Structures are given as C-alpha cells and as structure tokens.
Amino acid sequence: MAKKRSQTQAKKAQITNGARATGAEGDVPVVGAREPCPCGSGRRYKACHGRAAAHAVTELVHRPFEGLAGEADWIALRELVPAATVELTLKDGLPEGVPSVTLATVLPMAWPALRRDDGSVLLGLQNDTPSGDISRDLADTLQRALTAEPGTPIQGRRAPSDGPRLQDLLDPKGPFEPVVHSGFEFWVPDSENTSPEVAASLERANAAAIPTVKLAGVDAAYWCETPEKNHLRWVMPYPEEQLIDALARLHAAGATGLGEGTRLVGSFRAHGLTVPVWDLPSGVSAEDVEKPAAEFAERFAGALASDAPLTADERRARGGLTNRQVTLS
C-alpha cells in the first residue's frame, strides 16, 4: 500500500494570498518573503512576522488529539466516518446563551463551525486546517463560535500561535460518545424549511455518504459498506511498532481473521495512531462482526503483551504488514 498525503498535509503546503499572520502588534498581512514587513520594523517579512507565520504553517503536531478523551474516535471521525456527532463537555462549563456544543464530522457548505439560531454550537472536524496543529485550529474556531451572534457560520482562519488547544478547552474526564448517522439531517432542525444552498449541500452530502456503523463491543472500530465489499477499520491506541509486532504474531498464526472470507489487508497511519483494516464479504454486517471482533480483541491483547523475539515467520508477516500501510496524515 503506497504512502499518501492527506488533504490536511496538502493544505499546509499552500498559503493563500488572503492569509494573515499574528504578531505582537496584532494582525499583519502576509506579503512576499523578501519584502519589507508591514509592521514597520524595517526588516524583511521572512525575518520578522513571516518567521512565526511559516513556523505555524509547517510545524506538524504528530498526535494532535493526544490527551483528549476518545483520542481514537477523534481520529476515526476526522478521517474515516462520513456522518457523526459528539456532545462536547467544556472545562469551564457552557457560556450563558450556549445550550450545547456538538462536534460534527462535516457541516453544511463546509463551514468550520456554526452558531445556530438557538445559540447552540456545531464544530466541524473534517475541514482543512491552515496550520500543522489541528487541535489549536479547532480550539480557535470553537472559541469564536461561542461568542458569535446566533445564526452565524464561522469562517476559517489561521489560529494565533500562542492560542489554546482543544486540550485546554475540553474536560478531559468528559464523555466522548460518537453517534453515527446515516445522513446529515442533523445539520438543521427543520430540513424541509432550510435555505436552498443548505438543502443542496445536504443532498450532495447524503448521496456521497458511505453507510457506516460503530461497533458496540470494542472501542473505535467502524464497519462500513461499499459496493464490492465491506470493511472494518479499527483505530488502536498503541505504539505503532508494538502494534505491528502483535499483528504479525497473530497473522503468522493465522489468527487475524474475523470469520469466514474476512482478511486483514493492511493499515492506515493517522494522527499518530495506527488503523488496521479488514476486508469483509458484502454479506457481513456490522452485527455479524461484533462477536468476532471481541474475540480478536482478546487474542490481540495476549499478542500485545508478549515480549518474545519474533520468529522467522512472524518477521515475514511483519514485513508484509508494513508494506501495506497507507499514511493519511
């Protein structure tokens, strides 16, 4: 499986003409790197405010969701799940006039966030972000949504480099319980009376959504249905080398299957965690895979706990698994 750049990585490589950098004196427009800095310091932009701007764009946080409740599910909702929502719990409680804050995979018109007419906030997760720290960008969007006028969509921007991250705003002990939806009707309270633009966006999003179900018996495992076959994609919160070793032990023993006709085909790398992927026959539903997944979890826990050197067969299995990894982020 070949390595692939995610949309987020591609976005990092581009600075639009309208981007802005934040410095000690406030907002400073981005200009050519060799031009005088607009702040009036007399230095070239790249040696003044451009330095902080370039650093903010290029620095990549390897595990942006580390320390948040449900890190593996954050990654699944960011990269794998079409339509899902999660009620978020803020450290300092909800501000006056904000009845709820809900994380959503995607929002209408690809808005980064939305303050609804009733004051509630929807925060979009799958948007492109302008820096290498998704957590900081999302926190900036969330803060602006909390104080926006009701009925206002929130536009994207580059977050201040010293701004808070999600880990600073969310309660680390709060529940993180994704609800997977079959479509995007959660966007609007009354989908029949929404604007034509949002209605069209809703129709397009529903048409593109792949049917997805979160397994109940194991953490952060998601079944999905495609025309030719189904899949199980399971975000696992373990160090990659240790996880691949454990999978190699089981694969060499013929113990990675989830039932007849199923096959572990490789894995994704996403935001610092690894996501093993199984092919399933088209007739295998999410309910069908619940028990095999729970049984695999027990086998995997035993393999993960082993510190014995890999055998020759296990090393060969490991090589095959590492050759079938795709990097999403």
Side-chain angles (χ1 to χ4, degrees), residues 133 136 139-140 143 159-165 168:
D133 188 352
R136 195 179 308 281
D140 177 70
Q143 284 191 312
S161 59
D162 59 350
R165 307 178 73 239
D168 301 314

Side-chain angles (χ1 to χ4, degrees), residues 2-269:
K3 184 173 180 179
K4 161 181 156 180
R5 281 185 15 159
S6 71
Q7 289 182 342
T8 302
Q9 288 173 306
K11 183 71 174 179
K12 281 199 308 153
Q14 301 174 3
I15 304 177
T16 61
N17 291 334
R20 301 179 72 86
T22 298
E25 296 78 23
D27 286 344
V28 177
V30 172
V31 298
R34 305 177 74 83
E35 294 178 33
C37 186
C39 76
S41 67
R43 290 182 292 173
R44 289 179 178 175
Y45 178 70
K46 70 175 184 179
C48 191
H49 282 91
R51 179 178 298 172
H55 181 71
V57 171
T58 59
E59 182 182 19
L60 178 64
V61 176
H62 184 56
R63 287 180 63 177
F65 306 115
E66 184 176 15
L68 294 174
E71 178 188 8
D73 283 310
W74 276 91
I75 292 171
L77 268 57
R78 166 76 182 182
E79 299 292 344
L80 306 173
V81 180
T85 56
V86 186
E87 295 298 312
L88 297 180
T89 304
L90 305 185
K91 276 185 179 180
D92 299 327
L94 293 169
E96 184 178 356
V98 181
S100 64
V101 175
T102 302
L103 180 73
T105 48
V106 179
L107 293 181
M109 315 298 292
W111 290 325
L114 171 66
R115 182 87 185 271
R116 281 176 158 167
D117 290 337
D118 66 356
S120 61
V121 168
L122 290 178
L123 177 66
L125 181 58
Q126 292 185 10
N127 296 63
D128 290 340
T129 53
S131 83
D133 188 352
I134 297 169
S135 178
R136 195 179 308 281
D137 291 330
L138 289 172
D140 177 70
T141 300
L142 174 57
Q143 284 191 312
R144 290 186 289 125
L146 292 171
T147 58
E149 290 294 322
T152 304
I154 308 304
Q155 303 302 323
R157 74 171 190 183
R158 182 180 301 153
S161 59
D162 59 350
R165 307 178 73 239
L166 288 174
Q167 289 81 348
D168 301 314
L169 303 182
L170 302 183
D171 184 349
K173 297 181 180 179
F176 192 84
E177 300 172 351
V179 177
V180 178
H181 304 277
S182 59
F184 295 89
E185 282 73 20
F186 64 84
W187 280 355
V188 287
D190 184 3
S191 59
E192 293 183 358
N193 295 315
T194 189
S195 70
E197 294 83 1
V198 172
S201 184
L202 177 62
E203 183 178 359
R204 289 192 301 270
N206 282 343
I210 295 173
T212 301
V213 176
K214 186 181 190 298
L215 297 195
V218 295
D219 292 334
Y222 291 81
W223 170 95
C224 67
E225 180 182 20
T226 60
E228 295 184 359
K229 63 185 71 172
N230 300 339
H231 305 279
L232 183 70
R233 301 177 291 191
W234 192 339
V235 188
M236 295 188 169
Y238 308 106
E240 180 179 335
E241 296 302 310
Q242 183 183 2
L243 183 148
I244 297 296
D245 280 353
L247 289 178
R249 295 180 196 279
L250 295 177
H251 201 62
T256 53
L258 299 175
E260 184 177 355
T262 66
R263 186 168 68 98
L264 175 66
V265 293
S267 61
F268 298 133
R269 292 190 187 96

